[in-house]
Amino acid sequence: PKMKEDSCLHAALLCLGMLCYSHALTAEKLNHTRPSLHGHREKGKEGQVLHRSKRGWVWNQFFVIEEYTGPDPVLVGRLHSDIDSGDGNIKYILSGEGAGIIFVIDDKSGNIHATKTLDREERAQYTLTAQAVDRNTNRPLEPPSEFIVKVQDINDNPPEFLHENYHANVPERSNVGTSVIQVTASDADDPTYGNSAKLVYSILEGQPYFSVEAQTGIIRTALPNMDREAKEEYHVVIQAKDMGGHMGGLSGTTKVTITLTDVNDNPPKFPQSVYQMSVSEAAVPGEEVGRVKAKDPDIGENGLVAYSIIDGDGMDMFEITTDYETQEGVVKLKKLLDYETKKSYSLKVEAANVHIDPKFISNGPFKDTVTVKIAVEDADEPPVFLKPGYVFEVQENAASGTVVGKVHAKDPDAANSAIRYSIDRHTDLERYFSINAEDGNIKTIKTLDREEMAWHNISVFAVEVYKQHQEAKVPVAIKVIDVNDNAPKFAAAYEAFVCENARSNQQFITISADDKDDSANGPRFIFSLPPEIIHNPNFTLRDNR
């Protein structure tokens, strides 16, 4: 009974090539030796001895290397009880995670084998329970004890980046060492064992423009003054290698596309020193004359250019606006032109960046100037009357052929073509007037009666002799001056009644008259009694003027 109480199961970790990759040979050797570990008496031999506490057995860990592909099962370890006399009466039983499927035990010898290839990255450890029972009765000879089988890592996983492709931006002309982007790789191997998961970053493509920090994966600029206008996009390949970067380590790569973003480091520049333009004198204000364009290799707001006129004899006649869609300066007419007065103008136009970066002010000035010469073209203009309108006077009853007045027009063009005049008959349907086609003298054709029409409003045409499509029109107002050619007329035929015995000086009727002539030749009237009754003692007339 005392021996039975002191008996115990001992678990031995057989070192199956923990530091040697030739684990198959080690396993075969262990299969032949199968050492028996007897508690404290064999403490110090190969393997690990398990110590008993009052509360039960405390088992150390067993180890089995992952990814073993040898022909025979891997010997994980051996269970042995010191009450086992070798007569076959003790039976060893294994239960728990993977028991009977992955791990099997020889119930006589206590040898535990792994029958399948293990992958630490799928499962790092297994918890099993061992027990010694009587083979005949299955009566437990000691309490069950739990132990762990750890899957030992090998370097079987290459580093993998989080992304297959990265995209990053960095301003052009950045200082050396400017951080661009951090790329990160991970390794599925055990980071706590060896260097299988210790990664080192290096750059395979992209030098000498960029570098990478070996420990962090931060990509930085390696050259100063990289110019976007010279090269905008760079393709960088970064490698992550395990085993601390040493020979034999596994590696993975990723591609990083780095784009240089624009800064305003280039001033605008006109491609030529002089622009030649022309505009017709017939153009109206606001009409486009021409365009200029200063080239700026920068993009976005860094390439925005604003135009202005800073000098020239045409500053009052022309203006310039900026077309921000095309980045052109649009020269427009500001006032009407006259070829006969001035035939050409000159402008000094400036193109300047809208946004200037103070860091690159030394690259300036961020503006340029150009001369714009504008020629005024002669337009075939219609005749022009000397006045916008004419007002003439003529007496009524004047004889036919009386001169009313004279209109005058001229050709403003350099040719100074001869002019011919005519009356718009739609404005003189009764044909009261005529005009001399050559000199513009207007005469009466009929006698005019002011009392019928006091004003005549006609229109006169002026056309060029050889270009009759070029015509002008002017209004002519003719006032008919009154003459005293109408006698007064009583307003009505008067009839009056008076009572007999009427008082003396009693008013019994008022008589009035009118006159078709103007006030100067009509009222006031003088009233009087005719001679035949002027001495009638019965009636008197009082003239009220």
Side-chain angles (χ1 to χ4, degrees), residues 1-10 40 52-54 56-57 81-83 139-143:
K2 185 177 181 180
M3 285 184 61
K4 187 173 182 179
E5 182 180 353
D6 292 338
S7 64
C8 65
L9 276 175
H10 297 281
H40 62 277
R52 182 179 182 184
S53 69
K54 293 181 179 180
W57 296 105
S81 173
D82 54 6
I83 63 172
R139 181 176 58 87
L141 300 179
E142 55 187 56

Side-chain angles (χ1 to χ4, degrees), residues 311-507:
D311 199 6
D313 59 2
M315 292 184 68
D316 293 335
M317 305 301 294
F318 300 91
E319 62 184 357
I320 191 167
T321 59
T322 302
D323 185 339
Y324 285 104
E325 289 187 3
T326 63
Q327 284 297 289
E328 294 174 312
V330 184
V331 180
K332 294 182 179 180
L333 185 62
K334 191 175 180 182
K335 295 181 180 179
L336 290 172
L337 301 170
D338 185 6
Y339 171 82
E340 288 70 31
T341 302
K342 188 172 177 62
K343 296 178 174 59
S344 65
Y345 294 89
S346 179
L347 304 173
K348 189 175 184 181
V349 174
E350 179 182 86
N353 276 142
V354 177
H355 304 282
I356 297 177
D357 192 333
K359 291 188 294 184
F360 302 101
I361 197 70
S362 60
N363 291 23
F366 285 84
K367 57 186 176 181
D368 194 20
T369 59
V370 71
T371 299
V372 178
K373 293 184 176 181
I374 302 174
V376 180
E377 296 177 341
D378 188 21
D380 188 9
E381 299 175 274
V384 177
F385 283 95
L386 298 186
K387 295 180 180 180
Y390 293 85
V391 178
F392 300 128
E393 294 180 346
V394 62
Q395 284 190 341
E396 64 175 334
N397 302 323
S400 177
T402 300
V403 175
V404 177
K406 182 179 181 179
V407 297
H408 183 68
K410 67 176 183 177
D411 181 8
D413 298 324
N416 195 22
S417 300
I419 305 298
R420 294 293 181 264
Y421 303 94
S422 62
I423 294 176
D424 182 359
R425 289 304 172 188
H426 293 94
T427 62
D428 184 27
L429 295 174
E430 300 297 326
R431 293 184 175 267
Y432 287 107
F433 305 97
S434 65
I435 190 169
N436 187 303
E438 294 183 357
D439 62 16
N441 274 318
I442 301 173
K443 297 180 180 181
T444 61
I445 298 177
K446 297 178 180 180
T447 300
L448 304 178
D449 186 356
R450 189 202 70 82
E451 288 71 42
E452 289 185 3
M453 188 179 292
W455 285 88
H456 292 266
N457 296 298
I458 65 174
S459 296
V460 175
F461 289 116
V463 297
E464 295 180 18
V465 173
Y466 301 109
K467 298 177 182 177
Q468 295 190 8
H469 64 282
Q470 294 285 27
E471 68 176 16
K473 189 177 183 180
V474 69
V476 178
I478 301 171
K479 180 180 181 182
V480 182
I481 299 174
D482 185 52
V483 296
N484 193 7
D485 59 346
N486 291 280
K489 290 183 178 181
F490 286 105
Y494 294 97
E495 184 177 3
F497 300 89
V498 64
C499 295
E500 63 178 338
N501 301 322
R503 296 190 311 271
S504 178
N505 292 325
Q506 181 179 339
Q507 179 179 328

Side-chain angles (χ1 to χ4, degrees), residues 239-271:
Q239 174 184 269
K241 190 174 184 180
D242 60 18
M243 300 299 292
H246 294 123
M247 184 179 298
L250 303 178
S251 64
T253 60
T254 187
K255 296 179 180 178
V256 184
T257 301
I258 300 175
T259 302
L260 297 185
T261 56
D262 188 56
V263 299
N264 190 10
D265 58 342
N266 293 282
K269 190 73 177 175
F270 284 105

Side-chain angles (χ1 to χ4, degrees), residues 119-240:
D119 186 354
R120 188 201 68 83
E121 286 70 43
E122 289 184 3
R123 186 159 188 169
Q125 66 182 34
Y126 297 82
T127 302
L128 298 169
T129 301
Q131 190 170 25
V133 300
D134 186 283
R135 182 177 297 277
N136 296 320
T137 64
N138 282 331
R139 181 176 58 87
L141 300 179
E142 55 187 56
S145 296
E146 192 175 85
F147 65 97
I148 294 173
V149 176
K150 274 201 169 184
V151 182
Q152 182 181 322
D153 185 48
I154 64 171
N155 189 19
D156 60 340
N157 289 280
E160 292 184 358
F161 283 91
L162 299 181
H163 304 287
E164 184 177 352
N165 293 285
Y166 289 82
H167 295 272
N169 299 322
V170 65
E172 62 174 331
R173 301 192 181 278
S174 293
N175 295 329
V176 173
T178 299
S179 175
V180 180
I181 190 176
Q182 182 175 19
V183 294
T184 304
S186 59
D187 195 312
D189 291 322
D190 189 353
T192 65
Y193 178 76
N195 292 326
S196 297
K198 184 178 181 181
L199 305 183
V200 172
Y201 298 92
S202 61
I203 185 167
L204 301 183
E205 295 180 22
Q207 294 174 314
Y209 308 103
F210 299 94
S211 63
V212 65
E213 291 184 357
Q215 305 302 321
T216 64
I218 296 175
I219 300 174
R220 299 183 182 276
T221 57
L223 280 183
N225 298 321
M226 285 193 288
D227 190 3
R228 183 199 68 85
E229 288 73 34
K231 185 176 181 180
E232 183 175 7
E233 193 171 86
Y234 295 82
H235 298 282
V236 177
V237 177
I238 301 297
Q239 174 184 269

